[in-house]
Amino acid sequence: MMLGFLLARAGVEVVVLEKHKDFLRDFRGDTIHPSTLELMHELGLLDEFLKRPHQELKQLAGQIGGDRIPLADFSHLPTKCKFLAFMPQWDFLDFLAMHGKQYPTFHLLMETEVIDLIEEGVSVVGVKATAAGDQLEIRASLTVGADGRHSIVRERAGLKVEVLGAPIDVLWFRINRNSSDPGQVLGRFSRGKIMVMLDRGDYWQCGFVIAKGTFEALQQRGFEPFHQDILDIAPFLRDRVSELRDWKEIKLLTVAVDRLLTWYRPGLLCIGDASHAMSPVGGVGINLAIQDAVATANLLTAKLSKGSVTPSDLQQVQKRRLLPTRLTQRAQVFIQQRVLGRALGRAQQTSAPWFLRIFKSLPILQRIPAYLVGIGVRPEHIRTVDVFTH
Ligand SMILES: Cc1cc2nc3c(=O)[nH]c(=O)nc-3n(C[C@H](O)[C@H](O)[C@H](O)COP(=O)(O)OP(=O)(O)OC[C@H]3O[C@@H](n4cnc5c(N)ncnc54)[C@H](O)[C@@H]3O)c2cc1C
């Protein structure tokens, strides 16, 4: 959506296909990073964007047993917004779609699902899709797979994937929130259990971490032990935990960390999770996907305006985005193994590892994770223009 918006704004004809009928679904994560807010500022959209309901977090912390460990302090970032905004992704996507639609070059097709690629020789020249039971073909000088971790585009393109591994999955559900509940922390760890709780006003959006492949066994244990697991982490939910009594209310979000060896083929490029699926660790995958979109627009707009892009143009995008992706995924895999993997299932009370406790004793160090989460490696800036106002 971000790439579609940027290209359309720069005068390139774009068709964005979304298989669902709206964005009102359980997306993975609600974080709008300071770097994304900076991009909104550069686009002149920040004030309007921040009028949408959201929460602003200046500091991220983790609750490990009874210990609150501050992890990231955004208040020193060199950005206009020195906070992480929590906003449901459907609001963010609606906002981008609404602004995209102001350009005659932007075409959004909802409920239109890509089912295959159209190929001519070695080149990809478009996609086949279904919409309301009908099949359609869309031809394009560049097809961009931005269809997430289960990307059909990358699969059909036969691009090779390097799997980096994820020992966890996440159960996603809501529990009512009381105004007297404690404030939001990034994650709660207690007696071998881990849960993320996002404050969405009148409810908590919870992400309960489980070892990969164990959801069925957890369901077989029944609801009562699951309620107890939640209470071990968040005892203040005692009066409400029994609201959860139907497994249909609990969605399994699969976690994957992988990366394409080559992100492109003639006529085709993959970005975001389609080229590098991100773990929820650190809440940075959305940031990387947005940064990929901005880098792609910066590098390809002029060429697309003239007609087509060559594989070496597409290679430039991978070259630009590979380092941030590689470093971020390496950090995620490290934390998955060294923190989450070790903490999961350890019944005895765990204390924070030394490299987390150090953030409490030396608060200045919180600026490092704040930079990595809030801005990331090699941040992008808007280099394309709005041709309709220039
Ligand atoms: C449990 C979990 C929690 C996470 N929490 C966070 C977090 O808090 N913060 C964060 O920054 N990152 C988080 N992440 C990572 C983040 O979700 C991803 O990195 C990010 O969403 C990638 O964005 P994307 O646009 O590439 O893909 P997606 O957000 O997956 O979007 C892909 C889009 O393509 C559409 N689509 C898919 N297939 C087709 C098709 N065939 N035809 C048409 N449309 C299609 C989908 O409907 C969807 O709208 C989390 C990941 C997991 C697993």
Side-chain angles (χ1 to χ4, degrees):
M1 186 68 83
M2 184 73 179
L3 177 59
F5 165 75
L6 290 172
L7 290 177
R9 176 178 170 273
V12 178
E13 285 284 336
V14 181
V15 185
V16 178
L17 285 78
E18 168 54 56
K19 68 178 173 184
H20 291 101
K21 73 172 189 305
D22 54 37
F23 300 115
L24 267 177
R25 284 168 295 116
D26 277 331
F27 270 97
R28 295 166 165 84
D30 289 5
T31 45
I32 311 290
H33 302 78
S35 57
T36 304
L37 296 169
E38 194 72 6
L39 296 170
M40 290 293 138
H41 170 59
E42 291 171 11
L43 289 164
L45 299 174
L46 183 65
D47 293 342
E48 188 188 338
F49 183 64
L50 289 178
K51 282 191 190 130
R52 301 218 157 194
H54 67 280
Q55 272 100 38
E56 295 177 6
L57 230 76
K58 294 197 167 59
Q59 197 187 51
L60 288 183
Q63 185 81 31
I64 303 186
D67 214 2
R68 190 176 194 277
I69 308 279
L71 296 171
D73 176 3
F74 298 111
S75 58
H76 301 276
L77 288 181
T79 46
K80 189 158 171 63
C81 296
K82 297 177 192 310
F83 55 81
L84 196 78
F86 275 85
M87 180 188 286
Q89 260 200 68
W90 52 81
D91 278 344
F92 180 47
L93 290 167
D94 271 342
F95 182 84
L96 288 178
M98 184 186 85
H99 280 276
K101 282 178 198 159
Q102 291 169 2
Y103 300 113
T105 37
F106 182 87
H107 311 280
L108 173 59
L109 304 182
M110 298 301 289
E111 273 189 284
T112 308
E113 179 169 2
V114 173
I115 51 167
D116 210 347
L117 301 176
I118 309 171
E119 298 180 58
E120 280 176 5
V122 293
S123 299
V124 174
V125 295
V127 293
K128 289 181 187 159
T130 53
D134 291 332
Q135 278 218 16
L136 65 150
E137 289 195 356
I138 299 169
R139 292 190 170 245
S141 49
L142 177 65
T143 298
V144 180
D147 49 341
R149 66 199 51 233
H150 304 298
S151 169
I152 189 163
V153 171
R154 83 176 187 188
E155 183 224 302
R156 291 299 152 108
L159 296 171
K160 287 211 178 71
V161 185
E162 181 188 358
V163 176
L164 303 174
I168 53 166
D169 281 327
V170 174
L171 302 181
W172 201 243
F173 51 88
R174 298 172 177 192
I175 294 189
N176 278 327
R177 185 175 163 274
N178 285 349
S179 50
S180 57
D181 287 349
Q184 176 162 296
V185 290
L186 181 63
R188 294 174 179 275
F189 294 66
S190 183
R191 296 178 217 277
K193 286 133 208 158
I194 305 167
M195 187 157 78
V196 175
M197 295 179 76
L198 308 179
D199 175 356
R200 285 213 186 136
D202 53 353
Y203 68 91
W204 289 108
Q205 177 62 62
C206 302
F208 185 90
V209 181
I210 57 171
K212 197 167 257 318
T214 58
F215 186 37
E216 221 172 282
L218 187 137
Q219 281 174 296
Q220 276 162 10
R221 279 195 311 154
F223 259 109
E224 237 166 76
F226 183 50
H227 289 163
Q228 194 48 54
D229 286 347
I230 295 171
L231 290 177
D232 282 347
I233 306 172
F236 57 91
L237 296 175
R238 186 162 298 284
D239 56 338
R240 280 156 279 161
V241 72
S242 57
E243 285 168 10
L244 284 174
R245 49 187 114 77
D246 187 343
W247 291 111
K248 281 194 213 117
E249 294 163 34
I250 297 166
K251 299 223 172 74
L252 173 69
L253 300 185
T254 53
V255 177
V257 184
D258 62 34
R259 191 166 65 235
L260 293 181
L261 297 182
T262 309
W263 299 14
Y264 60 89
R265 270 183 51 184
L268 176 117
L269 172 71
C270 288
I271 59 169
D273 268 21
S275 63
H276 48 75
M278 304 300 292
S279 156
V281 168
V284 288
I286 298 168
N287 193 22
L288 262 86
I290 296 280
Q291 298 281 315
D292 284 1
V294 177
T296 305
N298 288 346
L299 288 161
L300 302 185
T301 295
K303 307 232 160 90
L304 285 169
S305 307
K306 288 193 197 122
S308 60
V309 288
T310 63
S312 77
D313 297 329
L314 302 175
Q315 187 188 28
Q316 293 305 313
V317 177
Q318 173 169 353
K319 226 169 138 191
R320 169 105 197 141
R321 297 300 305 152
L322 188 57
L323 179 76
T325 305
R326 217 181 235 159
L327 292 178
T328 312
Q329 288 186 320
R330 199 172 285 169
Q332 290 192 322
V333 169
F334 175 84
I335 294 170
Q336 278 179 176
Q337 287 165 353
R338 296 289 294 273
V339 183
L340 302 186
R342 285 188 187 181
L344 261 188
R346 274 199 187 176
Q348 73 274 34
Q349 189 69 58
T350 39
S351 59
W354 66 266
F355 54 87
L356 292 185
R357 279 198 311 267
I358 206 165
F359 291 123
K360 198 168 183 176
S361 37
L362 268 177
I364 196 168
L365 292 181
Q366 292 170 37
R367 295 183 193 187
I368 302 168
Y371 191 91
L372 294 176
V373 171
I375 297 181
V377 180
R378 195 179 275 166
E380 302 292 342
H381 295 280
I382 307 288
R383 307 268 181 242
T384 48
V385 293
D386 183 340
V387 293
F388 298 93
T389 56
H390 272 67

